[in-house]
Amino acid sequence: MIKNFNDTDYKFFIVLFLLIPSFVFSILNIFDINLSQNLVTSIFPISIAYIVSSIYISKIKLNKAYRNVALILFLIFTIILVLYMYLTFIYSGAISYKLDSWMYITTLIPSLSIFYLIRYIFENKKLSNVSKKVIKEVSLVTFGIYLFHCILIEKIYAYEFVKDLFTINP
């Protein structure tokens, strides 16, 4: 299905199944309106939309204008996340991770921006064969971990000793 997408199809899919849901979930989470994770993932396939967006980013042209947009978006959404964490800490005395999830716009936009920026840096430079081989090997080794880390982190964090180990606000 995806191999037959044109540019407009990619953009429509990404906006409909990634950007809009991640923005809505971010707002709902700020106001403590929690939807069931099972409901959310069955209606909006955000994880699939992440993959589609990375395929789209890997196909678009590399140019300075896109690079600048990616850099600005990375900075804006990272600053929003840090400011939100800082202000909630000042207000409540506890660190809030409400906007720090792979499903929220404050992590989605920076991660996609970094993906484009890394692609821009490495595809524009003349890298030696050794560098290319190292990058390829690292990506092959870590890709499976990247795909399953969200599921595994949730399962591992269910253990009490892991919660105690990573508790910042006792």
Side-chain angles (χ1 to χ4, degrees), residues 28-67:
L28 290 175
N29 196 32
I30 289 173
F31 294 108
D32 289 325
I33 302 170
N34 295 316
L35 299 174
S36 164
Q37 187 73 20
N38 297 327
L39 174 69
V40 168
T41 53
S42 65
I43 296 174
F44 299 105
I46 295 176
S47 56
I48 295 170
Y50 255 113
I51 294 170
V52 172
S53 64
S54 65
I55 292 169
Y56 177 69
I57 290 173
S58 68
K59 289 183 177 187
I60 60 176
K61 280 186 172 182
L62 296 173
N63 63 43
K64 288 184 180 181
Y66 287 160
R67 180 206 59 195

Side-chain angles (χ1 to χ4, degrees), residues 28-115:
L28 290 175
N29 196 32
I30 289 173
F31 294 108
D32 289 325
I33 302 170
N34 295 316
L35 299 174
S36 164
Q37 187 73 20
N38 297 327
L39 174 69
V40 168
T41 53
S42 65
I43 296 174
F44 299 105
I46 295 176
S47 56
I48 295 170
Y50 255 113
I51 294 170
V52 172
S53 64
S54 65
I55 292 169
Y56 177 69
I57 290 173
S58 68
K59 289 183 177 187
I60 60 176
K61 280 186 172 182
L62 296 173
N63 63 43
K64 288 184 180 181
Y66 287 160
R67 180 206 59 195
N68 294 339
V69 169
L71 187 59
I72 290 168
L73 287 173
F74 172 79
L75 291 173
I76 288 171
F77 282 92
T78 303
I79 289 170
I80 289 171
L81 176 62
V82 170
L83 276 176
Y84 180 80
M85 293 176 79
Y86 176 74
L87 292 175
T88 54
F89 179 77
I90 295 298
Y91 177 72
S92 67
I95 297 174
S96 172
Y97 294 99
K98 283 187 172 187
L99 293 180
D100 188 19
S101 171
W102 66 276
M103 289 178 52
Y104 301 143
I105 197 84
T106 51
T107 53
L108 165 78
I109 298 296
S111 66
L112 294 177
S113 298
I114 287 291
F115 181 77

Side-chain angles (χ1 to χ4, degrees), residues 123-158:
E123 288 186 17
N124 277 342
K125 286 189 175 181
K126 302 290 182 199
L127 297 175
S128 69
N129 288 335
V130 174
S131 300
K132 288 181 182 179
K133 185 177 179 182
V134 168
I135 291 169
K136 183 178 179 181
E137 291 299 319
V138 168
S139 66
L140 288 174
V141 170
T142 59
F143 185 66
I145 295 169
Y146 174 74
L147 289 178
F148 294 104
H149 82 280
C150 295
I151 297 167
L152 294 176
I153 287 173
E154 200 172 296
K155 300 296 182 195
I156 291 171
Y157 197 72

